[in-house]
Amino acid sequence: MDCAIVQRTEDDFTVYEASKKRGRRSSIVWEHFHKLKDEIDDVWKTQCKHCQQIYSSAQKNGTSHLKRHLDRCPKIGTSSLSLASKITSATKGGLVEYETNNKRSRSFSKVWEDFEKLKAERDDVLKARCRHCKQILSGASKYGTSHLKRHLDRCPKLKNHDLRQLFLSSEARDVKQLFLSAETLDEGSTPFKKVKLDQNEILKAISAFIVCGRHPITVVDEFGFRHLMSVVCPEIENLSPQTMKRDIMSSYVKEREKLKELFGRTPGRICLTCDNWSSNYGKDEYLRISAHFMSNDWKLVRKIIHFKSLTIPLDGTEIADEVALCLNLWNINSKIFSITSDNAPYMDSMVISLRRAILAKKNILCDGAFFQVQCCCHVLNYIVRASLNVVDDVIDKIRNGIRYVIKSSSRKKKFYEMASRDFHLDAKKRLRPDVRFWWNTTYTMIDCALYYRGALQSWGEHESRFIYYNLYDEEWEKLAIIQKFLSVLYDVQCTFASMEHPTSNHYFRAVWKVYMHLLKTARGPYAFMNGMIEDVHKKFEKYWAESCVILSCAAVLDPRYKVKLIEFCFTKIYGDKAEEFVNATVKALYSLFDKYKTNAVINSSSTRAIAANLEGVKAVDEFEDYELFLSRKSRTQDEKSQLDLYLEEPSHDLNSDLDILEFWSKSSMRYPELAMMARDVLTIPISSVSSEESFKIGKKLLNTCQCSLNPKVFQSLICLSDWTCSALDKSFLHDYDDPSVSDEEDYQDDWDTENGAFY
């Protein structure tokens, strides 16, 4: 051997301890082992200093097996091989770089994983250099490591910044969400406590992931999901679709009971909307029922309460039975105020059957005058479809021409350069293809095409293949007329779509504006639109006749409008006959108010009777109905009702920004019965579709995965998504978003304009 040996005898072995003076470098692993020599077999052995286990020490076997022993030695303080790391040094630009020996006598900050220790040869001062941005800071022990941690907070090149800082922070030991084993930390660093996994909480989180993310329940069986969970939470048990179904159904039942209690505490009445959905691969039809009501703090709330398949062919009586069953399940039979549906014939028969059943139980006000409401958006979208069909061939040319231009990046760039150079157009306003069945995208496409009209015509003259998509002057004129006609409808629908839950007072002015627009267009010189205008005018006349009383009553309860506005609007339409329609509105409003006033008297009388019985007082005498008798008498000039006083107050400015619900909330002290009536009337949903579906002119389709689910599970998923998920992504049935709101031009080539989805 090249080094001096100190010899001592221990049983059958002679122990040799190498002196510290060595002629060549030796593995640092020998700091943890004794060298032994078997005197009998004359063979070298080695013995662990910690657990006394004996291994071969032959030079040909190396030291790898000894390092492996150190990894699992039961009596050693750490299981990390870094304890046996070497100390090296290298000189770089006047600084000496050290790899620190990880064998430490005290705890070492984990911050040194991100810094290198340097020593200036001139000043003999220790420095610390960031491994990421190479900035040099003080590394002296007297300054501690706080300044190094602060540097890591703002280091521009540090990846996984947030997670790393969580490891560095002292509070990380208390973060229960961080599942990190102590074995993964280096020796000397403060270990995190193992956190016991809560299987129930993880199950709830996965359920929320499925419900709010609109994922199939079978996602828990997919390899990618199982691999993800094995990495994130190795201790979690494998979940099955059956387990997830049970958890989702359990959550649905709990949330349903909470919603039932909320319905019971609701001070006003509840309005319903019914709309139909279809499957995208078959002829199955589904009914969705939503409840609209005003909370105690005067906030308008919408909740999906029913989603079931219907028997084909659709029958109004069967649908009425399904709605009645839903009302019984939710125990809201006596609180229904109105029901809004689309304009399908079977929906009319459904509402008639349902109204007859509710009238028999005397749970409806004014003999159902406010019960049936026709969907406004369906009528407006019908007008849009009819107008687009008039120029369907022209729109196809525009659609295909825009696709041709933007399909090639070089061609698209060349077109915008030509439009900017020769026609001085703003190239930031891009050509956009439309998405079928979303007519706002078609309107935007037409508007952009008219903006680039000159550029597209010039492009068709110089591009040989574009000649198939080039429009004649007559076609451009038709397109401009249709765009102008649709602009009014577009503005109206944008107003509705901008409000998550629009109150009913917003609709009168908008619908009246559309009515006047149709009358004006019918008198215009556009011969190619005459047939279409005549057809849609009849459709709209029918809707207006059935809905104008409800719309005008809601407008009167807006302090900016009152009776004067509806009188002005009716005069524009009917001329001298306007007074008849105004009187019909006022009469309906007073009739409804009398019901609320009567109910208030009955409730107050019953309250006093209950109080008298509780106090042991003798029952009320024969004059207990006197107040009810007075309330049924006609109004006199000497005593004015709350409705009279409200109508006599000065109106607010017509275009003022007013929160009508806040107004009636504050006015409920002055006009308690009138405020209760306003609460219910303003709750009436004039449209059966949600605000995000306002522009959709096609059928509402369910995908194959949704239709294949068990009906109970499917309803639970839809309702839970609506009840528990955020407002930005609450619709489980909303298959795609409106692409017109996206500014990402790169999406245009990947958008499926037939189905409204990305490839």
Side-chain angles (χ1 to χ4, degrees):
M1 299 179 65
D2 297 330
C3 56
I5 302 295
V6 179
Q7 178 178 343
R8 61 187 177 89
T9 304
E10 187 173 303
D11 296 335
D12 295 332
F13 295 98
T14 301
V15 181
Y16 291 84
E17 294 183 358
S19 66
K20 294 184 179 180
K21 182 179 179 180
R22 301 186 180 96
R24 59 186 178 88
R25 297 182 63 182
S26 180
S27 173
I28 200 170
V29 76
W30 293 111
E31 294 182 5
H32 300 274
F33 288 88
H34 295 298
K35 284 191 175 182
L36 309 174
K37 188 171 183 180
D38 190 342
E39 298 293 346
I40 300 174
D41 300 329
D42 196 26
V43 178
W44 284 96
K45 300 287 185 179
T46 183
Q47 185 180 41
C48 177
K49 293 181 179 181
H50 308 285
C51 64
Q52 311 304 320
Q53 189 168 349
I54 297 175
Y55 290 91
S56 170
S57 182
Q59 187 175 1
K60 63 179 181 179
N61 294 333
T63 59
S64 298
H65 62 298
L66 304 181
K67 293 179 180 179
R68 288 193 295 271
H69 169 74
L70 290 179
D71 288 342
R72 56 180 180 269
C73 181
K75 294 191 177 182
I76 205 166
T78 179
S79 60
S80 175
L81 264 181
S82 60
L83 291 174
S85 60
K86 296 181 293 182
I87 303 176
T88 61
S89 64
T91 303
K92 293 185 179 180
L95 295 174
V96 179
E97 181 178 347
Y98 288 85
E99 282 189 24
T100 308
N101 186 348
N102 286 328
K103 182 181 179 182
R104 308 179 184 113
S105 59
R106 60 186 179 87
S107 177
F108 226 73
S109 174
K110 199 171 179 64
V111 75
W112 291 109
E113 290 187 357
D114 296 280
F115 285 90
E116 301 169 318
K117 284 190 175 182
L118 308 174
K119 191 172 184 180
E121 292 183 341
R122 298 177 183 176
D123 304 329
D124 196 28
V125 177
L126 194 63
K127 300 289 184 180
R129 181 172 63 185
C130 178
R131 296 180 186 271
H132 310 285
C133 66
K134 306 306 180 185
Q135 184 174 346
I136 296 177
L137 304 169
S138 173
S141 60
K142 64 180 180 179
Y143 296 122
T145 58
S146 298
H147 63 296
L148 304 180
K149 293 179 181 179
R150 288 194 295 271
H151 169 76
L152 291 179
D153 287 337
R154 56 181 181 269
C155 181
K157 294 188 177 181
L158 180 58
K159 297 182 179 179
N160 300 325
H161 174 270
D162 295 334
L163 182 60
R164 187 176 296 274
Q165 291 311 306
L166 180 62
F167 277 82
L168 292 175
S169 64
S170 59
E171 292 84 0
R173 292 188 296 271
D174 300 326
V175 180
K176 293 185 178 181
Q177 288 78 12
L178 189 60
F179 302 108
L180 185 65
S181 299
E183 288 79 10
T184 62
L185 302 177
D186 290 339
E187 180 198 16
S189 60
T190 303
F192 292 95
K193 296 180 181 179
K194 286 188 177 180
V195 179
K196 185 178 180 181
L197 294 176
D198 190 336
Q199 298 282 349
N200 292 330
E201 290 299 322
I202 295 176
L203 188 63
K204 290 179 181 178
I206 297 175
S207 298
F209 164 76
I210 292 174
V211 172
C212 297
R214 299 170 299 202
H215 301 290
I217 296 180
T218 53
V219 71
V220 297
D221 267 344
E222 295 180 5
F223 171 77
F225 182 85
R226 288 187 177 275
H227 175 68
L228 172 66
M229 296 306 299
S230 67
V231 173
V232 177
C233 302
E235 298 88 348
I236 192 173
E237 300 175 359
N238 287 333
L239 300 173
S240 65
Q242 290 73 24
T243 303
M244 299 311 305
K245 287 180 182 178
R246 286 195 297 270
D247 184 73
I248 289 172
M249 291 298 296
S250 175
S251 300
Y252 167 73
V253 172
K254 292 178 181 178
E255 293 297 327
R256 185 182 62 188
E257 294 305 316
K258 293 180 182 178
L259 189 55
K260 278 186 178 181
E261 294 179 3
L262 180 60
F263 284 155
R265 298 193 305 267
T266 300
R269 288 181 171 260
I270 298 173
C271 302
L272 302 179
T273 56
C274 299
D275 56 335
N276 287 352
W277 289 73
S278 304
S279 61
N280 62 354
Y281 70 93
K283 297 181 179 180
D284 297 333
E285 296 287 337
Y286 297 81
L287 175 68
R288 181 177 71 176
I289 303 176
S290 302
H292 303 251
F293 58 96
M294 202 82 70
S295 62
N296 287 317
D297 56 351
W298 287 82
K299 300 294 183 183
L300 196 55
V301 183
R302 168 186 168 271
K303 298 291 184 182
I304 298 176
I305 61 174
H306 196 73
F307 202 106
K308 287 293 183 67
S309 60
L310 300 174
T311 305
I312 304 298
L314 298 179
D315 179 75
T317 305
E318 293 185 5
I319 298 176
D321 293 339
E322 189 73 27
V323 176
L325 177 62
C326 172
L327 300 183
N328 286 328
L329 290 175
W330 286 94
N331 195 25
I332 54 176
N333 285 313
S334 60
K335 303 191 71 171
I336 298 301
F337 185 65
S338 70
I339 182 168
T340 307
S341 62
D342 58 29
N343 305 315
Y346 56 83
M347 281 297 187
D348 289 338
S349 59
M350 180 272 291
V351 174
I352 293 173
S353 300
L354 192 63
R355 178 167 52 189
R356 187 184 302 116
I358 297 178
L359 273 174
K361 298 180 181 180
K362 298 181 180 180
N363 291 328
I364 196 171
L365 300 178
C366 297
D367 296 328
F370 292 82
F371 186 72
Q372 182 176 9
V373 183
Q374 297 289 342
C375 178
C376 176
C377 285
H378 277 85
V379 176
L380 299 182
N381 289 338
Y382 175 83
I383 299 173
V384 172
R385 285 198 306 268
S387 58
L388 291 177
N389 288 337
V390 174
V391 289
D392 191 48
D393 54 339
V394 180
I395 293 176
D396 279 339
K397 280 187 178 182
I398 288 293
R399 181 182 294 121
N400 295 328
I402 290 177
R403 288 180 187 174
Y404 173 78
V405 171
I406 68 176
K407 193 67 176 177
S408 169
S409 299
S410 59
R411 188 162 55 236
K412 179 170 53 176
K413 182 179 179 181
K414 184 179 178 182
F415 173 81
Y416 288 130
E417 288 177 352
M418 181 268 293
S420 179
R421 182 184 64 251
D422 299 342
F423 296 91
H424 307 289
L425 299 175
D426 184 6
K428 293 181 180 179
K429 184 174 182 178
R430 299 295 194 178
L431 291 171
R432 292 185 179 275
D434 67 333
V435 178
R436 292 184 185 272
F437 309 125
W438 289 87
W439 73 265
N440 57 327
T441 63
T442 304
Y443 174 82
T444 304
M445 180 187 70
I446 294 173
D447 184 59
C448 291
L450 290 170
Y451 180 77
Y452 283 100
R453 174 178 174 175
L456 289 172
Q457 286 178 318
S458 177
W459 187 267
E461 294 173 358
H462 298 90
E463 181 74 28
S464 58
R465 294 187 60 184
F466 195 76
I467 193 173
Y468 301 106
Y469 315 121
N470 207 4
L471 271 62
Y472 301 109
D473 290 340
E474 182 183 355
E475 291 175 325
W476 279 112
E477 293 301 324
K478 286 184 178 180
L479 200 65
I481 293 170
I482 290 296
Q483 189 270 345
K484 184 178 179 181
F485 175 76
L486 291 177
S487 63
V488 175
L489 299 173
Y490 180 77
D491 292 340
V492 168
Q493 289 284 55
C494 283
T495 303
F496 298 155
S498 64
M499 297 177 286
E500 184 179 358
H501 301 303
T503 48
S504 56
N505 61 299
H506 291 97
Y507 284 84
F508 179 80
R509 287 183 66 181
V511 174
W512 174 81
K513 185 178 180 180
V514 173
Y515 197 179
M516 295 299 297
H517 184 56
L518 290 177
L519 293 176
K520 183 178 178 180
T521 306
R523 295 191 293 266
Y526 314 121
F528 75 99
M529 295 179 63
N530 288 342
M532 181 271 295
I533 290 296
E534 183 179 354
D535 177 53
V536 299
H537 186 71
K538 290 180 180 178
K539 185 83 171 179
F540 196 85
E541 279 278 8
K542 181 177 180 295
Y543 169 76
W544 178 261
E546 295 174 350
S547 305
C548 69
V549 172
I550 297 176
L551 295 175
S552 55
C553 284
V556 170
L557 293 174
D558 191 322
R560 295 167 295 184
Y561 305 156
K562 296 191 176 179
V563 178
K564 290 296 183 182
L565 178 76
I566 65 169
E567 186 177 355
F568 169 81
C569 294
F570 283 142
T571 303
K572 289 284 187 179
I573 298 175
Y574 302 111
D576 296 336
K577 297 181 180 179
E579 188 176 355
E580 298 178 10
F581 295 91
V582 175
N583 291 337
T585 299
V586 174
K587 182 179 178 181
L589 201 59
Y590 272 104
S591 175
L592 181 63
F593 177 69
D594 287 341
K595 293 293 183 182
Y596 279 86
K597 190 167 57 173
T598 302
N599 290 339
V601 173
I602 293 175
N603 292 335
S604 62
S605 299
S606 61
T607 302
R608 287 196 300 271
I610 293 173
N613 290 332
L614 291 176
E615 295 174 4
V617 180
K618 187 179 179 180
V620 185
D621 60 14
E622 289 79 3
F623 288 94
E624 62 179 347
D625 297 332
Y626 181 67
E627 292 184 11
L628 179 60
F629 170 77
L630 290 178
S631 67
R632 291 175 178 173
K633 303 299 291 181
S634 60
R635 295 173 293 107
T636 64
Q637 295 182 353
D638 297 331
E639 184 181 355
K640 295 181 179 179
S641 68
Q642 297 175 18
L643 182 55
D644 294 326
L645 296 175
Y646 163 74
L647 294 177
E648 289 177 0
E649 287 182 352
S651 300
H652 291 225
D653 182 69
L654 181 62
N655 297 314
S656 61
D657 186 12
L658 175 71
D659 187 341
I660 190 171
L661 297 183
E662 183 181 357
F663 169 82
W664 280 109
S665 175
K666 294 179 179 179
S667 302
S668 58
M669 296 299 293
R670 289 186 299 158
Y671 310 130
E673 290 87 6
L674 184 61
M676 182 60 71
M677 184 185 75
R679 179 198 294 268
D680 293 341
V681 173
L682 295 174
T683 304
I684 297 176
I686 305 300
S687 176
S688 63
V689 299
S690 56
S691 57
E692 63 268 17
E693 299 166 354
S694 300
F695 290 100
K696 190 171 184 179
I697 56 178
K699 285 186 175 181
K700 302 168 194 172
L701 299 177
L702 303 173
N703 59 43
T704 306
C705 175
Q706 293 168 334
C707 297
S708 62
L709 291 172
N710 178 281
K712 291 184 178 179
V713 177
F714 183 34
Q715 178 173 253
S716 302
L717 285 170
I718 294 172
C719 293
L720 273 178
S721 176
D722 182 71
W723 300 343
T724 61
C725 295
S726 66
L728 293 178
D729 193 19
K730 67 172 17 179
S731 176
F732 183 77
L733 306 171
H734 193 48
D735 296 325
Y736 48 86
D737 297 325
D738 177 7
S740 66
V741 300
S742 175
D743 293 327
E744 298 294 334
E745 183 186 353
D746 295 337
Y747 288 166
Q748 291 181 351
D749 293 340
D750 300 327
W751 188 264
D752 181 0
T753 55
E754 295 294 331
N755 301 314
F758 287 105
Y759 290 113

